[in-house]
Amino acid sequence: MSMASRDEVRAKMAESLQHPVKKLQDDAILTDWVTDSMILVNMVIDLQEDFGIRLVQEDLKDVKTVGQLLAVFERKMSG
Amino acid sequence: MVNKLTENELWILSFYRTSEISGALFFGRLARSMKPGLIQRDMTKHFSDESQHAWYWTSCVQRFGTLPLKLSHAYQDKYLEAAGMPANLMEVLAITQTFEKRVIAQYALHSRVPDLKPEILETFNKIMEDEKWHIEWVGEALKRMEPEYGKSYIQDTLKRYWKADKKIYGEVLKEHEDRVKDLLRYRQRTA
Ligand SMILES: [Fe+2]
Ligand SMILES: [Fe+2]
């Protein structure tokens, strides 16, 4: 995935969470940005629909930060 | 004179309302994310139904001359904690299927309680038809997903969520024992 598409995913993430994209730095903790975990579930589904990939629970097991989630998408999109 | 709700009745109807609102918000957001297709259509209807149900409970409570309580909405979070966050659309539908079946069972149980106030029974009857359709469309969507996800992955996911559901339901009943003891007493008698 190129730099541009990593930022594309980040932008989509910001849109889904309704947060300014500049606050979604790589080290930002995902759960800090949501009031309930359903919003996080929705964001992950939203991204999959947009980028046409599919994740399984295993992929998300160790994901805590924005950067880690971006890395998962990076891996899936290049694979 | 207006018939009054007991404190426990008010609490449980408020709980139902809160839970319907959480469902509506969840499906509303999801429906907005869906690409054009059957799931997009059915999820939008599902969202609309759950919103309607929240209103039915609100107006049901109001018919007794009072208003619903503001309750914590942590139930869904507990669900995710126990079952793990669904990672894809199939898993979301699987957890939905589990949750909807639980709702139907709970509403069916409650609607059989003797001397139930007619306004409450009327509300259950109105909601029940929609709830049956929720299970139906989600079941069909899961079936259509079999070629993509694999039948056994879907079955395993459903099983995992069933297990989590049992655990959470038991915990919630325990936590609110005093509130639901009348219901429980009836459940034990008819079991
Ligand atoms: Fe409902
Ligand atoms: Fe429902």
Side-chain angles (χ1 to χ4, degrees):
Chain A
M1 189 162 76
S2 67
M3 215 40 217
S5 53
R6 189 182 169 100
D7 282 342
E8 243 175 81
V9 179
R10 195 193 308 272
K12 185 69 207 174
M13 204 185 269
E15 186 196 319
S16 189
L17 293 175
Q18 295 177 288
H19 281 297
V21 69
K22 61 174 187 292
K23 288 198 175 173
L24 292 183
Q25 297 302 323
D26 278 0
D27 58 352
I29 307 287
L30 282 161
T31 47
D32 286 352
W33 296 105
V34 295
T35 47
D36 76 65
S37 37
M38 290 298 191
I39 292 178
L40 221 48
V41 173
N42 180 236
M43 186 263 280
V44 169
I45 302 291
D46 207 3
L47 294 178
Q48 288 177 64
E49 286 282 297
D50 269 30
F51 297 102
I53 57 155
R54 193 217 298 158
L55 304 183
V56 292
Q57 256 183 2
E58 182 68 20
D59 297 320
L60 297 173
K61 200 166 86 250
D62 302 314
V63 172
K64 300 257 181 308
T65 65
V66 168
Q68 287 166 341
L69 185 59
L70 288 173
V72 170
F73 274 84
E74 212 161 19
R75 218 173 44 234
K76 289 275 168 174
M77 286 165 87
S78 66
Chain B
M1 208 189 82
V2 188
N3 204 349
K4 285 252 187 282
L5 287 174
T6 66
E7 206 183 304
N8 286 347
E9 280 171 331
L10 175 61
W11 183 87
I12 200 160
L13 300 190
S14 303
F15 185 92
Y16 293 159
R17 170 186 173 270
T18 306
S19 160
E20 301 279 7
I21 292 179
S22 300
L25 290 171
F26 182 58
F27 292 118
R29 278 192 216 100
L30 273 175
R32 196 171 53 187
S33 309
M34 290 300 114
K35 287 182 298 204
L38 278 179
I39 292 184
Q40 178 202 53
R41 186 201 63 186
D42 290 344
M43 208 169 254
T44 308
K45 168 84 169 88
H46 196 148
F47 153 63
S48 153
D49 286 352
E50 305 297 16
S51 314
Q52 188 87 336
H53 299 168
W55 167 242
Y56 289 160
W57 286 124
T58 307
S59 61
C60 175
V61 168
Q62 205 182 9
R63 282 164 82 181
F64 296 98
T66 183
L67 287 166
L69 304 168
K70 176 180 187 286
L71 297 179
S72 132
H73 45 87
Y75 188 59
Q76 266 87 350
D77 273 3
K78 275 196 194 131
Y79 235 78
L80 294 189
E81 234 168 75
M85 274 203 5
N88 53 50
L89 193 54
M90 183 280 287
E91 294 195 340
V92 165
L93 291 183
I95 204 172
T96 300
Q97 184 76 328
T98 310
F99 193 71
E100 294 288 334
K101 283 189 176 165
R102 171 59 68 198
V103 169
I104 287 212
Q106 173 62 30
Y107 282 2
L109 169 74
H110 194 162
S111 65
R112 285 195 305 266
V113 165
D115 305 321
L116 190 68
K117 295 182 168 69
E119 292 89 343
I120 300 179
L121 183 61
E122 200 184 291
T123 308
F124 278 130
N125 291 339
K126 261 200 295 197
I127 291 180
M128 249 353 191
E129 282 312 301
D130 294 338
E131 299 296 357
K132 281 182 204 147
W133 178 76
H134 295 168
I135 289 186
E136 228 173 85
W137 88 259
V138 174
E140 281 162 18
L142 283 171
K143 240 196 141 35
R144 287 197 304 272
M145 283 174 160
E146 280 176 10
E148 191 192 341
Y149 288 85
K151 202 172 175 165
S152 66
Y153 174 26
I154 298 178
Q155 292 306 328
D156 289 350
T157 307
L158 282 166
K159 259 185 235 149
R160 180 158 53 88
Y161 286 141
W162 272 122
K163 241 175 87 187
D165 169 80
K166 261 206 177 128
K167 178 172 171 274
I168 297 298
Y169 186 68
E171 281 172 17
V172 170
L173 284 188
K174 227 181 148 41
E175 186 184 341
H176 303 294
E177 219 168 353
D178 290 346
R179 305 282 189 189
V180 295
K181 60 178 185 291
D182 301 339
L183 267 176
L184 286 185
R185 198 181 309 135
Y186 185 65
R187 185 167 81 141
Q188 277 147 11
R189 250 201 345 250
T190 53

